[in-house]
Amino acid sequence: MARRRRVYEGKAKVLYEGPEPGTLVQHFKDDVTAFDNKKSATIEGKGVLNNRISEYIMTQLHNIGVPTHFMRRLNMREQLIREVEIVPIEVVVRNVAAGSIAKRLGIPEGTQLPRSIIEFYYKSDDLGDPIVSEEHITAFGWATPQEIDDIMALSLRINDFLVGLFLGIGIRLVDFKLEFGRLWENETMRIVLADEISPDSCRLWDVETNEKLDKDRFRRDLGGVTEAYQEVAQRLGIMPEGGQSKRRGPMLVK
Ligand code: TMP
Ligand code: ASP
């Protein structure tokens, strides 16, 4: 393949220049990191699974009218996306207390929250992605009030849809992280969902057993990371090429 210009390299993904202006190729690596890079490893097959899972979720979201950067999957590890200007905010939506909110506010992990809670974190590796409020975001110009409104409305729609999608395959969507970008079309700009949605960016617990089917298996040294991601892909009815699928998409779990 011809050499491609690398536009950006993150912890789990690489972005290359796309075949046409305004497009990029998003490549999913097997690398995994946690706690600001203090912990890192390579988990064979993770990138392939995340590419498929994120493709599936982005496509479902597109089908209910959520604008996304996703265009199409190119191969096992790569997808074609629209180039957007990333809003430097990580949006976390929580349904159940876990992770940093459990620690920060002293809420036992697994406690159902009174309602879905949206949090914002400023994207800065140097600062360790600190939690920030809307006030910080607008005062420092990271996003406008209108953009925050759009981001919150989209995040809640995505949450409602994904809670149902995962419940249909026996999985509780505990929390997840989203990123958004600005997409220009002629003179107009709109906010679209960007990055990925995968077990790297979500907490997914089996409804029956509370078994963790996400990156916490790596963060907490629980082992079986690939198997957990594979289980999610299998329950969604998708598997990487050549893989066996036991089930055919979401179904009602009693
Ligand atoms: P937290 O409980 O550590 O704040 O994480 C909340 C959710 O966001 C969880 O599903 C994991 C995800 N997340 C990321 O995708 N990237 C990150 O850098 C962090 C800190 C969390
Ligand atoms: N992705 C972050 C890191 O690599 C943190 C995390 O997901 O736990 O440090």
Side-chain angles (χ1 to χ4, degrees):
M1 195 194 284
R3 278 185 87 81
R4 296 174 297 183
R5 195 168 71 86
R6 186 179 302 223
V7 177
Y8 175 82
E9 176 144 15
K11 292 169 212 151
K13 296 190 292 292
V14 188
L15 295 178
Y16 296 99
E17 211 167 57
E20 276 153 44
T23 66
L24 295 173
V25 173
Q26 180 166 258
H27 177 107
F28 289 76
K29 299 189 283 186
D30 283 343
D31 298 349
V32 59
T33 70
F35 313 119
D36 287 332
N37 257 333
K38 285 186 200 84
K39 185 171 170 151
S40 67
T42 301
I43 290 170
E44 212 181 311
K46 179 186 78 96
V48 174
L49 286 157
N50 281 355
N51 186 25
R52 290 296 263 117
I53 293 170
S54 199
E55 171 199 17
Y56 179 82
I57 292 176
M58 292 276 181
T59 303
Q60 297 295 315
L61 288 170
H62 167 82
N63 290 343
I64 62 155
V66 171
T68 84
H69 74 161
F70 179 82
M71 296 173 74
R72 62 189 162 86
R73 187 167 58 87
L74 296 171
N75 55 51
M76 297 265 280
R77 288 189 181 272
E78 295 176 333
Q79 44 186 245
L80 189 66
I81 60 171
R82 288 188 201 287
E83 184 170 23
V84 298
E85 181 186 281
I86 291 288
V87 176
I89 300 296
E90 297 197 345
V91 181
V92 170
V93 184
R94 301 182 186 273
N95 300 302
V96 174
S100 69
I101 197 176
K103 205 171 157 191
R104 188 183 314 115
L105 302 181
I107 308 169
E109 281 215 323
T111 307
Q112 184 75 40
L113 296 168
R115 60 179 173 82
S116 302
I117 293 175
I118 298 182
E119 294 173 343
F120 302 109
Y121 294 83
Y122 178 50
K123 269 172 75 73
S124 162
D125 281 344
D126 291 345
L127 301 174
D129 296 350
I131 192 165
V132 294
S133 71
E134 286 184 54
E135 281 286 288
H136 298 104
I137 297 172
T138 52
F140 295 119
W142 299 325
T144 65
Q146 178 62 53
E147 286 173 337
I148 297 182
D149 283 354
D150 292 351
I151 285 171
M152 289 181 73
L154 283 171
S155 298
L156 289 176
R157 267 179 81 196
I158 293 166
N159 184 49
D160 284 347
F161 178 75
L162 291 185
V163 163
L165 177 83
F166 280 113
L167 204 54
I169 54 169
I171 291 174
R172 179 172 300 125
L173 179 60
V174 170
D175 58 32
F176 57 100
K177 186 263 298 180
L178 299 173
E179 294 189 29
F180 292 90
R182 300 182 182 97
L183 179 65
W184 271 274
E185 282 160 325
N186 304 317
E187 297 300 288
T188 60
M189 186 276 288
R190 59 187 179 129
I191 292 287
V192 305
L193 178 64
D195 196 49
E196 70 180 294
I197 300 182
S198 73
D200 267 10
S201 59
C202 301
R203 282 198 177 91
L204 305 168
W205 294 359
D206 182 87
V207 166
E208 301 288 331
T209 63
N210 282 333
E211 187 189 356
K212 295 183 199 318
L213 301 172
D214 57 65
K215 192 171 148 182
D216 269 349
R217 298 208 72 85
F218 169 72
R219 293 192 193 95
R220 303 180 187 194
D221 293 321
L222 299 173
V225 182
T226 309
E227 292 76 6
Y229 285 38
Q230 229 152 16
E231 175 72 21
V232 173
Q234 233 160 34
R235 290 197 199 183
L236 285 170
I238 49 170
M239 281 301 288
E241 283 107 357
Q244 283 290 310
S245 182
K246 271 195 258 166
R247 299 171 66 158
R248 265 178 282 115
M251 57 182 84
L252 194 64
V253 174
K254 290 204 202 97

